[in-house]
Amino acid sequence: MIRKGGTKAVRASYRWLAEEWGIDGVVLVDGGTDLLMTGDESGLGTPVEDVTSLLAAQALDVPVKLVACVGFGIDAHHGVCHAHFLENVAALAKLSAYHGVFALTPGIRAVDEWLDAVAHVQRHTPGRESIVCASITDAARGEFGDHRSVPRTRDAEDELFINPLMSMVWGFDLDAVAGRVLYRKEIEEAATPYEVAAAIEAFRDRIALRPWRAIPG
């Protein structure tokens, strides 16, 4: 609901919301796991909107600030190395900033209502269905492997790997996650999303990247 912008504009929007509504907590939920990418991983996924929201929320003076990631494995087609995600989770655990995992399990009222809400939205957005939401809800319902529940994925060339890990919600301290973004100073005054993207690219051009690492099977 916030207009796309650079870090400065998104930060101002978050501050206005916090002051207007007197909020006492914020939870950022990432559909996928690329929000935890720090900048030196082999692939960052789609970081621009994620990291501008992350740094905007970090600037808020509210008692509770949390991050949640749901959809482990979904970002693979955007180049995210999930061994790097797990490495980053471990690093946050050392900082006491990893708050654990819970499952989106059908039969829990909140989960059932969320599944119904996603199904309603998917039906009313033909051609624009959320692949991320479809993957997570399919995983929650027990689907596995190359399961394609929405038209947008039925003709896709990439094989899907729907699995139970996609319906797990991982929780973290927001300030700790934001503090590990290596290029945060480079984008803190960016005026547009394009400036954010260019700054990230320039940063990655001058550092050594972590090599891709497969998860042992």
Side-chain angles (χ1 to χ4, degrees):
M1 299 299 293
I2 294 176
R3 181 181 298 172
K4 290 183 180 181
T7 313
K8 289 177 64 175
V10 176
R11 186 167 58 236
S13 296
Y14 271 63
R15 281 176 174 162
W16 182 88
L17 286 169
E19 293 170 2
E20 182 73 10
W21 296 101
I23 67 172
D24 55 13
V26 59
V27 180
L28 295 188
V29 181
D30 179 27
T33 58
D34 56 352
L35 184 61
L36 252 63
M37 299 298 103
T38 64
D40 66 348
E41 296 82 3
S42 59
L44 300 187
T46 54
V48 174
E49 290 184 7
D50 290 349
V51 77
T52 51
S53 294
L54 178 65
L55 297 184
Q58 183 190 28
L60 296 179
D61 183 18
V62 298
V64 177
K65 290 185 283 186
L66 300 171
V67 160
C69 294
V70 56
F72 181 90
I74 288 175
D75 297 313
H77 71 287
H78 283 147
V80 169
C81 171
H82 287 91
H84 290 162
F85 168 75
L86 295 175
E87 185 179 5
N88 292 346
V89 173
L92 288 163
K94 287 183 177 180
L95 299 173
S96 299
Y98 171 43
H99 299 316
V101 179
F102 67 88
L104 296 171
T105 306
I108 298 172
R109 179 179 174 182
V111 175
D112 289 341
E113 292 182 352
W114 172 72
L115 290 170
D116 290 342
V118 172
H120 174 82
V121 172
Q122 301 284 55
R123 286 194 303 270
H124 289 82
T125 53
R128 296 184 293 114
E129 303 92 348
S130 170
I131 295 174
V132 170
C133 282
S135 299
I136 296 167
T137 55
D138 289 345
R141 292 190 174 100
E143 301 297 345
F144 184 80
D146 196 17
H147 180 79
R148 301 167 185 252
S149 63
V150 294
R152 288 186 64 201
T153 62
R154 286 174 191 155
D155 296 326
E157 294 182 3
D158 293 340
E159 180 180 359
L160 303 183
F161 185 58
I162 307 301
N163 68 85
L165 291 176
M166 283 185 175
S167 60
M168 305 296 286
V169 182
W170 308 62
F172 309 93
D173 177 80
L174 187 149
D175 286 340
V177 174
R180 283 175 42 81
V181 176
L182 300 173
Y183 53 84
R184 59 189 181 278
K185 291 184 179 179
E186 282 82 349
I187 67 169
E188 62 184 1
E189 297 301 322
T192 69
Y194 306 104
E195 288 184 14
V196 174
I200 294 172
E201 185 175 351
F203 171 81
R204 285 169 62 78
D205 283 343
R206 64 176 184 267
I207 67 165
L209 302 181
R210 286 186 245 172
W212 177 274
R213 181 179 180 184
I215 299 174

